Each structure stands twice: as structure tokens, then as C-alpha cells.
Amino acid sequence: MDSRIQDVLDIYHAMIETEHNSPRELPPGGRDGGQDQRLRAVGPATGQFINILAKNLKSPSILELGTSFGYSGIWLAEAARASGGRLITMEMHDYKSTYARDMAVKAGLAEHVEFKVGDAIQMTGALSSDIDFVLVDLWKDLYVPCLEAFYPKLNPGAIIVADRPGGDDLKRYGEAVRAKPGISSVLLPVGSGLEVSRFD
């Protein structure tokens, strides 16, 4: 990582540390109220892991479902730059996407990222290009619908990484992704747990 990227990651890591040491509070307006300031970031171990995986692909089309404030996007954008690829990252809330874009600019990575705001399922279905790498890290009840949207667009050899801390929705996703033709999948103890899948 060059110094600009490391400086941005250091900012995020300080935010993650503060968040982990603060009580969890429901944002005004609930889940979709547009006032949620928590990063819910995947953390450094997962960040480095997805960076390594994506960087090994040649000129990959990378899809991130759940930009949030842009932490994992920095890792993926750096991999896109290094491998000659491009990252498309999708977020429901504009204020989060705007923050993520500003951080990508600070890191010198913005030209390798396309920021999209709206419904991830609809936007994924509308993608014209095929996909080589997917990070799934949004509201857990959307995992299976998102899988249905991106599965037909996967290139042979595509990698899917789903942040998977647990719960019924994650169990359903694990069952659904393993049932897809051509998919092999394993649950790895990286970060809070990752379902890592490959499409043959």
C-alpha cells in the first residue's frame, strides 16, 4: 500500500476502534432512515484477504454490494488498480456513497471505482458486464436476492466473498450459494467469518 492509501486506512481503523468501544444505538428512523453513522466495516483481516484474492485475477470486474462508508472499497479498489480491473460499488444511501467517494479520492483510487446509489438487486440486474469478483456485505436478508441477481452474470472462475457473522439469513445464503450449479464454497474463519465461493 502506498502512503496515500495507508493514511486513509489509518483513518478508517481509528473509526473502527472508536465504534468497537462505543455502545450500539439504533439510528433515528431505523435501518433505512438514512441517519446510520456506523461503519460496520469488515476489518483489516478481511480487507487484506479480499485484496489478495481480487489482486490475483486478471483485469477483473469487481462488484461490491454494500459500500457503506467505503472501507472495504479501498482494499478492492487497490486490487483493481494493481490488476488492471475496475470496482463497481453499490450503496442504498447517498451520504454513505459520497463519503466513500471522498475517501477514494484521498487514497488516489477514485478513477478505478464506479459508485452507484440505489437498490443493489435492481442495479446488479441491470449490469451489462460480467463479474469476476463479488463482495457481499449488506443487510443480511438481501444476501439471497442479491445472489439470484449476480449469479447469472458470473464469469468462469469468479470468486464470491460474503461476510457471514451468523443468523438465519446467513444460513439461508450458505445453503443457497452451495446449491447453485458450478459453485464450490467453504466457510473460513477470517474476520467474523467469510463464505468464500468459486464459480467454475
Side-chain angles (χ1 to χ4, degrees), residues 10-11 13 18 42 54 56 60 72 86 105 153 155 166 170 172 174:
D10 288 345
I11 293 170
H13 292 155
T18 299
V42 296
N56 277 294
S72 52
R86 184 157 184 81
V105 169
K153 299 177 180 292
N155 282 326
L170 279 303
R172 280 190 284 273

Side-chain angles (χ1 to χ4, degrees), residues 9-173:
L9 288 175
D10 288 345
I11 293 170
Y12 278 120
H13 292 155
M15 294 168 70
I16 292 170
E17 183 68 19
T18 299
E19 184 173 295
H20 283 175
N21 293 323
S22 302
R24 296 192 176 193
E25 297 178 0
L26 186 68
R31 160 175 145 171
D32 294 319
Q35 302 296 321
D36 183 5
Q37 298 298 319
R38 293 184 67 86
L39 263 69
R40 296 181 175 86
V42 296
T46 297
Q48 187 171 16
F49 181 74
I50 60 176
N51 176 267
I52 290 169
L53 286 181
K55 198 178 285 186
N56 277 294
L57 300 171
K58 184 178 180 180
S59 301
S61 175
I62 302 170
L63 175 64
E64 178 184 33
L65 300 174
T67 308
S68 187
F69 290 98
Y71 175 73
S72 52
I74 295 295
W75 290 100
L76 291 173
E78 196 280 334
R81 182 178 72 176
S83 60
R86 184 157 184 81
L87 168 64
I88 299 171
T89 182
M90 299 180 176
E91 170 57 44
M92 176 62 73
H93 297 297
D94 183 65
Y95 75 101
K96 292 183 179 180
S97 184
T98 298
Y99 185 93
R101 187 194 309 270
D102 289 345
M103 294 297 267
V105 169
K106 289 180 182 178
L109 295 170
E111 66 183 280
H112 305 281
V113 188
E114 181 180 353
F115 293 88
K116 289 181 174 287
V117 176
D119 183 280
I121 300 167
Q122 293 178 4
M123 291 189 296
T124 299
L127 288 177
S128 58
S129 59
D130 292 333
I131 303 166
D132 300 296
F133 186 97
V134 186
L135 175 64
V136 187
D137 185 22
L138 68 177
W139 295 109
K140 307 311 179 189
D141 59 317
L142 299 178
Y143 273 42
V144 172
C146 282
L147 170 65
E148 298 300 331
F150 68 68
Y151 174 76
K153 299 177 180 292
L154 295 175
N155 282 326
I159 301 294
I160 309 157
V161 178
D163 189 53
R164 195 177 186 277
D168 290 342
D169 288 318
L170 279 303
K171 181 180 178 182
R172 280 190 284 273
Y173 172 79

